[in-house]
């Protein structure tokens, strides 16, 4: 068993690798230009916000969880709980750890760079001894730092102090929370949580734990054909319009919804329907996957409108609906989902402006 593998025993013991018995993590650090060991600080919103300070030592990431984060201010001596070594594959992980898994939450790469021991020449021995003097060359963190072991908590975890020494990089009052963005992508934890590009499956071996998430491209939609538009123009004030395979029962087609302005022609319901059919390919990417509330003006914009949430009973069967299973009594239960040009036309006929 290699030393790095041995050191990751703790990491593995806290996670379920039942999927496969492959050893998780290995001393296969990605190549780097200058040969200096790397460090990373990840801002991790799990049950509690903390910063994970990780130093590359002999093929693993030796790690401390720092609730208040590292600072350039020598006066800020921060609690740093020594936690289990992490596999090197975690070095540049940014994304989401599923809820319910160990460390569930979101992670950004808050800082990274290289580090160098400034006292002694054996990082492993210095950590064993509980006193680490080192320099960081990161994008946010620079200069001379110290990690000193102080105590153990009830669970046996080692409590250390992390602080910056006075040097030319020291900055009074420097607060990590004032610099929240990722050095990898420029994103905040909120932005990563809202649209993660990777998932860390801590129940898998490290080499397979990072799962890329690629957002599926939205579908695309067709504009109306010229004969379809001609058929719309040929309808009397009401009738059935066959549009992209759907039968739409249209009413009050010559009703003016927007009165004439600046010498122009008024906009009738027929005009509005034609317009919705034409802009559907551009609008649907924003609508197709979300339930909507419609703001209806059945008698035109000169008369008061009203919000209409519940899908009416006369809606066509093909209109997609979303049911709110958590609706309280009296609350709207079924919302329309406008996911096709005919659905958008149906909303126009319904007076949804
Ligand atoms: Mn963490």
């Amino acid at each position: 068993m290699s030393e790095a593998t041995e050191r990751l025993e703790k990491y593995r013991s806290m996670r379920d690798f039942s999927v496969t018995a492959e050893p998780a993590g290995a001393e296969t650090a990605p190549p780097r230009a200058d040969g200096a060991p790397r460090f990373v600080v990840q801002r991790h919103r799990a049950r509690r916000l903390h910063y994970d300070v990780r130093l590359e030592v002999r093929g693993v990431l030796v790690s401390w969880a720092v609730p208040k984060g590292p600072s350039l201010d020598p006066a800020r001596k921060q609690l740093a709980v020594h936690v289990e070594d992490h596999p090197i594959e975690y070095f540049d992980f940014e994304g989401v750890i599923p809820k319910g898994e160990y460390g569930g939450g979101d992670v950004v790469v808050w800082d990274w760079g290289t580090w160098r021991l400034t006292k002694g020449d054996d990082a492993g021995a210095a950590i064993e001894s509980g006193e680490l003097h080192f320099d960081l060359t990161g994008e946010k963190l620079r200069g001379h730092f110290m990690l000193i072991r102080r105590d153990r908590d009830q669970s046996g975890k080692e409590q250390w102090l992390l602080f910056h020494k006075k040097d030319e990089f020291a900055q009074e009052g420097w607060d990590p929370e004032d610099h929240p963005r990722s050095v990898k992508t420029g994103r905040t934890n909120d932005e990563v949580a809202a649209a993660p590009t990777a998932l860390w499956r801590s129940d898998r071996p490290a080499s397979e734990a990072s799962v890329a998430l690629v957002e599926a491209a939205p579908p695309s939609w067709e504009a109306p054909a010229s004969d379809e538009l001609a058929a719309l123009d040929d309808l009397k004030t009401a009738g059935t319009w066959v549009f992209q395979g759907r039968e739409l029962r249209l009413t009050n087609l010559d009703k003016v919804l927007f009165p004439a302005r600046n010498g122009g022609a008024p906009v009738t319901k027929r005009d509005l329907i034609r317009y919705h059919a034409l802009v559907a390919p551009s609008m649907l990417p924003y609508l197709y996957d979300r339930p909507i509330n419609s703001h209806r003006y059945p008698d035109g914009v000169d008369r008061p409108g009203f919000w209409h949430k519940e899908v009416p009973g006369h809606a066509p069967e093909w209109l997609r609906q979303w049911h709110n299973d958590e609706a309280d009594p009296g609350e709207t239960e079924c919302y329309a989902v406008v996911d096709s040009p005919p659905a958008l036309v149906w909303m126009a006929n319904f007076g949804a402006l």
Side-chain angles (χ1 to χ4, degrees), residues 57-117:
V57 179
R58 296 178 202 156
V60 297
L61 298 170
V62 180
S63 301
W64 288 263
V66 184
K68 291 189 175 162
S71 173
L72 298 177
D73 183 349
R76 299 192 181 196
K77 296 190 166 44
Q78 308 294 25
L79 169 68
V81 179
H82 194 191
V83 295
E84 74 279 10
D85 297 341
H86 267 55
I88 204 74
E89 288 86 345
Y90 198 73
F91 178 78
D92 63 346
F93 176 74
E94 176 168 303
V96 160
I97 302 171
K99 280 200 176 70
E101 288 193 19
Y102 183 76
D106 44 75
V107 176
V108 301
V109 177
W110 182 81
D111 197 17
W112 59 12
T114 56
W115 78 281
R116 188 175 65 89
L117 207 57

Side-chain angles (χ1 to χ4, degrees), residues 35-222:
R38 298 168 302 170
F39 83 94
V40 64
V41 179
Q42 282 148 320
R43 187 174 186 275
H44 182 188
R45 286 194 309 188
R47 262 180 311 180
R48 292 214 176 103
L49 168 68
H50 59 275
Y51 290 70
D52 290 300
V53 175
R54 309 188 194 278
L55 305 177
E56 185 180 9
V57 179
R58 296 178 202 156
V60 297
L61 298 170
V62 180
S63 301
W64 288 263
V66 184
K68 291 189 175 162
S71 173
L72 298 177
D73 183 349
R76 299 192 181 196
K77 296 190 166 44
Q78 308 294 25
L79 169 68
V81 179
H82 194 191
V83 295
E84 74 279 10
D85 297 341
H86 267 55
I88 204 74
E89 288 86 345
Y90 198 73
F91 178 78
D92 63 346
F93 176 74
E94 176 168 303
V96 160
I97 302 171
K99 280 200 176 70
E101 288 193 19
Y102 183 76
D106 44 75
V107 176
V108 301
V109 177
W110 182 81
D111 197 17
W112 59 12
T114 56
W115 78 281
R116 188 175 65 89
L117 207 57
T118 55
K119 189 174 173 189
D121 53 12
D122 183 339
I127 292 165
E128 285 287 300
S129 78
E131 187 176 317
L132 196 64
H133 300 247
F134 59 106
D135 272 343
L136 295 181
T137 306
E139 296 184 32
K140 297 174 185 171
L141 299 179
R142 290 193 162 240
H144 192 47
F145 285 82
M146 275 195 79
L147 268 164
I148 307 265
R149 184 167 56 219
R150 299 306 298 268
D151 217 344
R152 282 175 198 277
D153 65 16
Q154 305 94 317
S155 65
K157 277 195 176 141
E158 294 177 1
Q159 301 192 347
W160 296 50
L161 285 181
L162 169 68
F163 54 94
H164 197 281
K165 298 281 282 184
K166 290 201 174 84
D167 65 11
E168 72 268 34
F169 297 106
Q171 262 185 60
E172 204 182 315
W174 197 93
D175 187 338
E177 289 292 288
D178 294 337
H179 310 268
R181 290 188 177 271
S182 163
V183 293
K184 182 179 177 181
T185 62
R187 301 199 298 169
T188 61
N189 279 77
D190 274 339
E191 288 162 358
V192 166
T197 53
L199 201 67
W200 186 264
R201 293 288 311 274
S202 57
D203 59 340
R204 294 189 184 178
S207 58
E208 299 163 17
S210 185
V211 180
L213 299 174
V214 181
E215 209 178 319
S220 63
W221 295 273
E222 297 282 320

